[in-house]
Amino acid sequence: MKKKLLSVLLASAMVISLAACGGGDDNDNNSSSNNNDNQQVEDNNTPANNDNNTSDDGNGAAGGEDLAYTGEITFMHYSTSEESEGNGGSDAFRRAIANWDAAHPDITLNQEVLANDDFKTQIATYANADSLPDVFMLQGMNAASWASQGLILDLTDAITNSPYATNYNYERMTPFTVGGKYYAFPALTGMTCTVVVYDAQMWADAGYDSFPTTWAEVEAAVDYFESQGIDTIAFGNGGQWQMNSDFISCLGYQYTGTEWFDHIMAGDGQAAFTDDSFVAALTETQRLFHDTQIFNSDFNAVTNEDAREYFIAGDAAAFIGGNWDFSYIKASVDADKYANLKVAVLPQAADANYPNNYQNIGMGYGVAINAKVANDPDKLAACIDLAREITGPDFAIYVGETYAEQGFYKASFDMGTFDQVTVDFYNFNYVDNIATEIYDSYVDNSVWGVLNADMQAMCNGEMDPATVAANAQASYEAFLGN
């Protein structure tokens, strides 16, 4: 049966366009890391022989099962071809989808593929109209609401009874767990949303052996970098979500500790956005972006894609973004700058109560299934097989061996095949720092939409932090009341 691919690539400033990386990246494949030869890397609690539990044949073909269904499946996601060129998780995801599609010639897989920001808008439109695709990427912050509305299928049995179940990292299930039930297979890779990428030589020239550990030290470097005609740190918040995903949801833990957001997620009344600790985090955020000269002056007008180009071009000594940005930067810089690439956590705030090396990491998206599919058992079996295979060993083995990244399925791989820049980033994500949850992977977009817009105004000096917190709390209480 003829295959169909519906690619909707909207020309927008929000489009995530990531440049060439991956298996053909000479930087990753032609040099070995220091003191990492033959080191086998496994996720925490990974069984020693985890690859024995896979039906992958080692040649890229998806395993799966014999399926009776021969109709169409609509599948919506945001791994565009542009994004996959510089993003390991997206590249591996698209590859796994193609493998499953090729392995099931009697099923027509109709893919609707949008850039990330456009995807978020369109999937919400579909949900509001109760017309979700058969299979789609579910953002964790929508899980509770859409589950309560009966829009998404309870996948608990499909996940716990999967042939890959013993190799799943169930810690990655948190954003998709509602009332003890699972509503999605965690997708793509569990990597940071907040990483400081910096040019070590630039900072050495400024008198620093490594990236500063405190914001006071960062501020002390501003005069030097200004004298060089460059910004100290590049950041882009033009889409509003960046201040949430890439900044406050990491800095906030320095002020609140981890239990505060646990209570926010639980909605148990033991934490509020108006708590002094969170208001203090907002206050420091406003100070850093409005009252100092650390960041590019147009940070609220440009996207993170624009800001990382400032760093790549040498117009900023550092950049704050997510793992996808680091993948793009690695693939885009010349050899000299590549050799100087380093990563660091956010500096410590002087008045923070929890001075730790926090970095927010997680799998904010999962593969979910429209609840209506349950009316057709054969189609349901095919949709479950699709979701299971594109998040299972076919995905995990490739993304591990090619990019040194981890998915929901725990696969071991040899770090000795990667260079030191890649090893450093792996250790940043999975070894050296304290992992915390990403704020906007949870709760609901009705809350984050208010907070994100207000934080943009706040960092322009147009709103005070207490008002921002009060507005967020009001939207949060309204959400909890639904």
Side-chain angles (χ1 to χ4, degrees), residues 80-211:
T80 64
S81 59
E82 286 84 358
E83 182 172 352
S84 69
E85 291 174 354
N87 185 315
S90 183
D91 175 34
F93 194 61
R94 287 176 62 89
R95 174 186 173 278
I97 294 168
N99 287 343
W100 188 92
D101 196 20
H104 299 90
D106 293 330
I107 298 175
T108 301
L109 186 63
N110 292 326
Q111 300 183 55
E112 185 174 3
V113 187
L114 281 72
N116 191 292
D117 287 319
D118 300 316
F119 172 89
K120 292 176 182 177
T121 300
Q122 187 60 49
I123 200 68
T125 299
Y126 287 154
N128 289 335
D130 191 16
S131 59
L132 287 165
D134 299 325
V135 183
F136 60 94
M137 296 289 276
L138 172 70
Q139 196 169 12
M141 67 182 182
N142 293 322
S145 177
W146 293 3
S148 68
Q149 296 175 58
L151 298 177
I152 52 179
L153 194 67
D154 176 2
L155 294 175
T156 306
D157 289 342
I159 290 171
T160 58
N161 294 328
S162 165
Y164 313 133
T166 59
N167 289 75
Y168 286 155
N169 181 353
Y170 286 92
E171 292 180 359
R172 304 270 167 87
M173 285 301 313
T174 305
F176 317 107
T177 303
V178 181
K181 297 178 179 180
Y182 302 149
Y183 285 88
F185 287 80
L188 304 178
T189 57
M191 300 184 73
T192 187
C193 271
T194 306
V195 58
V196 180
V197 187
Y198 68 100
D199 186 314
Q201 186 58 56
M202 282 184 166
W203 285 87
D205 293 343
Y208 295 80
D209 294 332
S210 60
F211 192 78

Side-chain angles (χ1 to χ4, degrees), residues 67-91:
L67 301 171
Y69 184 67
T70 58
E72 297 186 358
I73 292 176
T74 56
F75 179 30
M76 185 176 176
H77 61 89
Y78 63 87
S79 286
T80 64
S81 59
E82 286 84 358
E83 182 172 352
S84 69
E85 291 174 354
N87 185 315
S90 183
D91 175 34

Side-chain angles (χ1 to χ4, degrees), residues 436-459:
T436 57
E437 303 294 351
I438 304 164
Y439 284 175
D440 51 3
S441 287
Y442 305 89
V443 190
D444 189 78
N445 192 48
S446 62
V447 179
W448 303 125
V450 170
L451 179 63
N452 293 352
D454 284 357
M455 283 195 298
Q456 191 172 61
M458 178 188 79
C459 290

Side-chain angles (χ1 to χ4, degrees), residues 18-315:
L18 301 167
C21 187
D25 182 1
D26 292 338
N27 289 326
D28 281 355
N29 296 315
N30 289 345
S31 58
S32 60
S33 59
N34 298 332
N35 301 319
N36 281 281
D37 293 344
N38 302 319
Q39 177 185 354
Q40 292 294 324
V41 176
E42 297 182 0
D43 205 354
N44 292 338
N45 304 315
T46 304
N49 297 315
N50 62 2
D51 290 340
N52 293 332
N53 199 31
T54 172
S55 62
D56 184 83
D57 63 7
N59 296 313
E65 59 188 58
D66 293 332
L67 301 171
Y69 184 67
T70 58
E72 297 186 358
I73 292 176
T74 56
F75 179 30
M76 185 176 176
H77 61 89
Y78 63 87
S79 286
T80 64
S81 59
E82 286 84 358
E83 182 172 352
S84 69
E85 291 174 354
N87 185 315
S90 183
D91 175 34
F93 194 61
R94 287 176 62 89
R95 174 186 173 278
I97 294 168
N99 287 343
W100 188 92
D101 196 20
H104 299 90
D106 293 330
I107 298 175
T108 301
L109 186 63
N110 292 326
Q111 300 183 55
E112 185 174 3
V113 187
L114 281 72
N116 191 292
D117 287 319
D118 300 316
F119 172 89
K120 292 176 182 177
T121 300
Q122 187 60 49
I123 200 68
T125 299
Y126 287 154
N128 289 335
D130 191 16
S131 59
L132 287 165
D134 299 325
V135 183
F136 60 94
M137 296 289 276
L138 172 70
Q139 196 169 12
M141 67 182 182
N142 293 322
S145 177
W146 293 3
S148 68
Q149 296 175 58
L151 298 177
I152 52 179
L153 194 67
D154 176 2
L155 294 175
T156 306
D157 289 342
I159 290 171
T160 58
N161 294 328
S162 165
Y164 313 133
T166 59
N167 289 75
Y168 286 155
N169 181 353
Y170 286 92
E171 292 180 359
R172 304 270 167 87
M173 285 301 313
T174 305
F176 317 107
T177 303
V178 181
K181 297 178 179 180
Y182 302 149
Y183 285 88
F185 287 80
L188 304 178
T189 57
M191 300 184 73
T192 187
C193 271
T194 306
V195 58
V196 180
V197 187
Y198 68 100
D199 186 314
Q201 186 58 56
M202 282 184 166
W203 285 87
D205 293 343
Y208 295 80
D209 294 332
S210 60
F211 192 78
T213 59
T214 68
W215 285 110
E217 292 173 305
V218 175
E219 290 179 68
V222 169
D223 287 345
Y224 169 80
F225 288 122
E226 284 189 342
S227 73
Q228 303 299 306
I230 62 177
D231 291 313
T232 305
I233 301 176
F235 189 78
N237 187 44
Q240 296 185 348
W241 60 266
Q242 294 96 337
M243 192 66 73
N244 190 325
S245 292
D246 299 340
F247 197 83
I248 189 68
S249 72
C250 190
L251 180 77
Y253 288 97
Q254 294 183 17
Y255 286 87
T256 68
T258 57
E259 291 185 3
W260 180 85
F261 194 60
D262 289 341
H263 292 305
I264 290 290
M265 287 188 290
D268 58 13
Q270 297 186 49
F273 288 94
T274 51
D275 289 343
D276 290 344
S277 57
F278 186 70
V279 175
L282 291 174
T283 301
E284 176 68 354
T285 299
Q286 184 185 54
R287 187 188 74 83
L288 292 170
F289 282 90
H290 184 259
D291 300 338
T292 76
Q293 304 302 311
I294 291 173
F295 298 97
N296 46 298
S297 60
D298 60 352
F299 68 88
N300 256 341
V302 300
T303 66
N304 62 313
E305 291 87 358
D306 298 322
R308 74 188 180 205
E309 291 297 336
Y310 295 168
F311 174 74
I312 291 169
D315 295 326

Side-chain angles (χ1 to χ4, degrees), residues 364-431:
Y365 279 94
V367 179
I369 297 175
N370 187 331
K372 294 177 181 178
V373 176
N375 296 326
D376 185 338
D378 288 343
K379 184 175 184 178
L380 175 59
C383 290
I384 289 174
D385 190 72
L386 171 63
R388 181 181 289 160
E389 292 302 320
I390 63 178
T391 59
D394 184 38
F395 172 87
I397 293 169
Y398 177 79
V399 81
E401 292 178 346
T402 309
Y403 296 99
E405 298 178 12
Q406 296 178 0
F408 178 42
Y409 177 93
K410 297 180 286 189
S412 62
F413 51 91
D414 182 6
M415 286 299 293
T417 63
F418 296 100
D419 65 14
Q420 193 60 48
V421 172
T422 304
V423 172
D424 288 347
F425 193 51
Y426 179 91
N427 290 335
F428 175 92
N429 281 281
Y430 304 116
V431 179

